[in-house]
């Protein structure tokens, strides 16, 4: 349950076409031990020749200067001018072959704050122009102006720029929230039909790193990280590409607004309501507020989101406390013990009661167009909608279900590209602890191809919600419903499979 700390808002065609392989089976364990962290990259990275790595991933000087200038000036024309100037300066690079050019986004605030040192190491291994600090550069700017510059050069007959655009791969050094932010920006390429969409690999810098675990990049930043970085880049250039489902959540409030809006959400402006109504088949009330966002791992409502909200605020107010994954998890544990997870007093306040008091759950099953109401168990205090197998730093709350049980419940084996999400519940803290220790499974509720949640406040004036570790307070109204509708995004995200 890691929240990336990127403090910025979320917001071309090559001949080569990526052919994704099947997604990694979610039946294999993705938890990374200390030994795996050392083995994965610590010593093996020394086998990667630095000169050979540069030959494969570094763009010619004129191209990387063009991209950097376009992003910096937020102008494709500035990039084209920089390319022309660089070609005059170093003409001999024009004929260099391009293999798998790479761009790295670094969140210097993720996890244990390894980003600044990592950024310098990347400058040594590839080039400064191909490394972008997310504190300074938004991924959306790179996609709009950087890739746009390459596309403009390609339109002018520059075959090298065309090959770079067609073969480009992206690495994200950060946690789950950072990876989701970059993937969300890349989705815009599908909407604008600016293909191909570059596939994404991960250097795990966050606390949970469940996306990194799910696609074979490990669960923590390795001990021998200087050698490890070479291996990450080398693997990313040759590894196969797989699919990942992504899910759009649309929140409709009868009135009011969400304060402290997380990066994961974007407000739907009044001018966009007509298009919004058309896309979602609903008519918004005049005073309604609407928000939308995309998640790749999970969306949850309840006590776990409340703990994440408290952790997020503490980390922002006192960043010196969050000096790494171990410290972060200890703070999480402390918040869990103080928020009513483990011991609910007899005179419990309304916010400590089961979610069934405020929430109604509706789903659409695979190949079905009708909504079906699913009863919420009265004991559930946290409802989790999970896309990946991994949750909360590599735990597997859905479990390895036997074929007989799957058939009995009408479930299928879970995969990250199957068009379904798994819905489960966590009860009090003791139940959640046993689930996360993998001694028992979570409370299985449903599998769904689409979900609708209706929330009414009653005695509650808010609920806590989080998407991929980004939490917020969701205002509730007593007599009117706030709805959250979740549907699969039509196009898949492309991930580089580090397991290969």
């Amino acid at each position: 349950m890691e929240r990336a700390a990127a403090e910025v808002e979320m917001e071309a065609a090559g001949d080569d076409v990526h052919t994704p392989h099947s997604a990694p089976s979610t039946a294999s364990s993705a938890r990374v031990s200390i030994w795996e962290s050392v083995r994965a990259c610590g010593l093996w990275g020394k086998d990667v020749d630095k000169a050979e790595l540069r030959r494969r991933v570094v763009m010619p000087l004129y191209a990387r200067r063009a991209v950097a200038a376009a992003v910096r000036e937020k102008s494709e024309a500035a990039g084209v001018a920089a390319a022309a100037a660089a070609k005059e300066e170093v003409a001999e690079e024009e004929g260099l072959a391009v293999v798998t050019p790479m761009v790295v986004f670094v969140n210097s605030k993720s996890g244990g704050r390894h980003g600044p040192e990592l950024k310098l190491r990347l400058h040594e291994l590839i080039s400064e122009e191909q490394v972008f600090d997310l504190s300074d550069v938004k991924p959306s700017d790179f996609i709009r102006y950087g890739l746009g510059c390459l596309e403009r050069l390609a339109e002018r007959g520059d075959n090298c720029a065309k090959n770079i655009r067609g073969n480009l791969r992206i690495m994200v050094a950060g946690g789950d929230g950072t990876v989701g932010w970059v993937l969300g920006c890349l989705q815009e390429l599908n909407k604008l039909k600016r293909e191909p969409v570059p596939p994404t690999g991960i250097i795990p810098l966050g606390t949970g790193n469940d996306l990194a675990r799910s696609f074979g990049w490990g669960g923590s930043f390795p001990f021998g990280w200087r050698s490890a970085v070479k291996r990450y880049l080398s693997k990313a250039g040759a590894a196969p590409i797989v699919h990942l489902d992504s899910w759009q959540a649309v929140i409709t409030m009868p009135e009011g607004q969400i304060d402290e809006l997380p990066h994961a959400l974007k407000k739907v402006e009044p001018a966009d309501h007509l298009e919004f109504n058309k896309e979602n088949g609903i008519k918004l009330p005049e005073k309604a507020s609407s928000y939308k966002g995309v998640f790749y791992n999970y969306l949850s409502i309840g006590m776990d989101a409340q703990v994440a909200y408290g952790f997020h605020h503490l980390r922002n107010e006192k960043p010196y406390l969050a000096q790494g994954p171990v410290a972060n998890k200890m703070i999480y544990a402390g918040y869990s013990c103080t928020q009513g997870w483990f011991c609910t007093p007899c005179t419990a306040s309304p916010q400590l009661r089961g979610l069934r008091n405020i929430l109604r759950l509706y789903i659409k099953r695979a190949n079905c167009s009708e909504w079906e109401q699913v009863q919420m168990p009265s004991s559930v205090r946290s409802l989790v909608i999970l896309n990946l197998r991994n949750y909360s730093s590599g735990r597997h709350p859905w479990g390895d279900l036997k074929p007989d049980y799957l058939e009995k419940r009408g479930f299928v084996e879970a995969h990250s590209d199957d068009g379904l999400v798994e819905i489960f519940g966590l009860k009090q803290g003791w139940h959640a602890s046993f689930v996360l220790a993998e001694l028992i499974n979570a409370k299985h509720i449903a599998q769904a191809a689409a979900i609708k949640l209706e929330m009414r406040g009653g005695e509650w004036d808010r609920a806590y919600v989080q998407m991929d570790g980004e939490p917020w307070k969701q205002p509730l109204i007593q007599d009117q419903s706030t709805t959250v509708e979740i549907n699969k995004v039509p196009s898949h995200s492309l991930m580089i499979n580090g397991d290969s």
Side-chain angles (χ1 to χ4, degrees):
M1 295 182 286
E2 181 269 345
R3 180 197 183 277
E7 299 300 326
V8 270
E9 66 180 335
M10 183 173 181
E11 272 237 284
D15 291 335
D16 295 339
V17 177
H18 299 302
T19 305
H21 296 239
S22 298
S25 171
T26 55
S28 62
S29 174
R31 185 175 300 171
V32 176
S33 66
I34 293 176
W35 162 242
E36 287 174 317
S37 179
V38 174
R39 187 197 69 167
C41 300
L43 296 175
W44 290 4
K46 294 182 178 179
D47 296 334
V48 178
D49 183 75
K50 183 177 177 180
E52 174 63 16
L53 176 65
R54 287 183 60 85
R55 187 190 69 79
R56 289 191 286 115
V57 306
V58 175
M59 304 177 196
L61 178 65
Y62 87 91
R64 61 182 189 261
R65 283 190 179 176
V67 170
V71 174
R72 182 177 62 252
E73 303 295 331
K74 297 185 179 181
S75 167
E76 295 174 9
V80 173
K87 278 187 175 181
E88 291 181 2
E89 179 182 336
V90 189
E92 66 270 16
E93 280 206 335
E94 187 172 352
L96 289 179
V98 178
V99 184
T100 49
M102 201 166 296
V103 165
V104 184
F105 292 109
V106 179
N107 181 359
S108 55
K109 298 178 181 177
S110 278
R113 308 296 200 268
H114 295 291
E117 292 178 312
L118 174 60
K119 187 169 63 172
L120 293 176
R121 177 60 172 159
L122 289 166
H123 290 171
E124 296 173 5
L125 291 175
I126 48 178
S127 72
E128 186 173 350
E129 296 92 344
Q130 288 173 236
V131 180
F132 296 94
D133 189 329
L134 291 172
S135 297
D136 304 320
V137 175
K138 302 173 187 175
S140 55
D141 288 343
F142 169 79
I143 290 161
R144 179 175 178 181
Y145 303 109
L147 295 186
C149 173
L150 291 174
E151 290 163 2
R152 183 175 290 193
L153 290 170
E155 289 169 359
R156 297 185 174 193
D158 188 330
N159 287 327
C160 181
K162 184 178 181 180
N163 289 335
I164 292 171
R165 175 65 183 90
N167 295 311
L168 185 69
R169 295 192 170 198
I170 290 175
M171 289 294 285
V172 180
D176 290 344
T178 307
V179 178
W181 180 27
V182 174
L183 292 176
C185 293
L186 288 170
Q187 282 284 356
E188 293 299 314
L189 293 173
N190 287 313
K191 296 178 183 178
L192 298 173
K193 300 190 183 304
R194 291 172 57 194
E195 297 177 341
V197 178
T200 301
I202 306 169
I203 299 175
L205 286 187
T207 303
N209 299 311
D210 288 313
L211 274 164
R213 296 170 194 271
S214 297
F215 292 95
W217 295 102
S220 62
F221 198 54
F223 298 122
W225 66 270
R226 291 185 63 83
S227 285
V229 175
K230 286 196 295 182
R231 181 163 175 79
Y232 279 127
L233 297 177
S234 180
K235 284 173 62 178
I241 300 166
V242 295
H243 280 148
L244 168 65
D245 288 339
S246 51
W247 298 83
Q248 180 173 265
V250 177
I251 301 170
T252 306
M253 303 166 55
E255 58 184 66
Q257 63 181 10
I258 299 174
D259 296 325
E260 301 176 291
L261 194 66
H263 301 126
L265 286 183
K266 179 182 178 182
K267 188 170 184 179
V268 179
E269 299 298 332
D272 299 326
H273 278 186
L274 183 61
E275 181 182 353
F276 178 87
N277 295 341
K278 184 177 179 181
E279 284 182 358
N280 296 277
I282 58 175
K283 184 172 178 59
L284 298 177
E286 185 176 340
K287 295 183 178 180
S289 297
S290 303
Y291 301 84
K292 62 181 178 180
V294 175
F295 68 93
Y296 302 87
N297 191 351
Y298 69 93
L299 181 147
S300 70
I301 300 174
M303 293 298 297
D304 67 324
Q306 183 175 351
V307 172
Y309 183 84
F311 169 75
H312 155 59
H313 277 270
L314 179 66
R315 185 165 67 174
N316 280 354
E317 293 170 4
K318 301 178 180 180
Y320 55 86
L321 293 178
Q323 293 298 318
V326 174
N328 290 346
K329 289 169 185 175
M330 289 178 67
I331 296 170
Y332 254 111
Y335 265 104
S336 299
C337 293
T338 62
Q339 298 297 318
W341 266 108
F342 291 90
C343 181
T344 304
C346 296
T347 57
S349 55
Q351 65 265 27
L352 297 181
R353 297 176 185 169
L355 285 178
R356 191 166 70 173
N357 293 309
I358 64 161
L359 188 141
R360 300 291 179 269
L361 170 64
Y362 301 86
I363 68 169
K364 287 181 182 178
R365 299 187 186 274
N367 303 316
C368 182
S369 60
E370 299 296 324
W371 289 110
E372 171 189 339
Q373 183 173 1
V374 177
Q375 292 299 319
M376 281 280 295
S378 61
S379 58
V380 167
R381 295 188 185 178
S382 180
L383 182 74
V384 182
I385 298 164
L386 186 65
N387 183 40
L388 303 178
R389 173 180 172 84
N390 290 287
Y391 169 80
S392 186
S393 302
R395 274 61 176 186
H396 309 142
W398 189 253
D400 295 317
L401 306 185
K402 296 181 179 179
D404 290 347
Y405 181 82
L406 291 171
E407 183 178 358
K408 178 181 177 182
R409 294 295 303 272
F411 296 158
V412 296
E413 185 179 350
H415 291 267
S416 61
D417 62 347
D418 58 6
L420 297 172
V421 285
E422 285 66 55
I423 308 171
F424 64 85
L426 300 173
K427 303 176 186 178
Q428 74 286 349
W430 298 113
H431 175 256
S433 297
F434 287 134
V435 169
L436 297 183
E438 298 183 1
L439 299 175
I440 59 174
N441 291 335
K443 181 73 174 177
H444 298 135
I445 296 176
Q447 282 181 316
I451 298 170
K452 181 168 63 176
L453 306 170
E454 292 185 359
M455 296 186 288
R456 289 198 180 195
E459 297 180 74
W460 300 34
D461 61 1
R462 65 185 179 275
Y464 289 89
V465 187
Q466 63 173 335
M467 291 201 312
D468 286 351
E470 294 213 58
W472 69 91
K473 281 184 184 178
Q474 177 63 53
L476 298 180
I477 299 175
Q478 182 175 1
D479 299 323
Q480 300 181 65
S481 293
T482 293
T483 63
V484 181
E485 188 164 339
I486 299 168
N487 289 282
K488 182 181 174 296
V489 175
S491 54
H492 287 99
S493 293
L494 300 181
M495 304 299 296
I496 304 172
N497 182 12
D499 266 331
S500 60

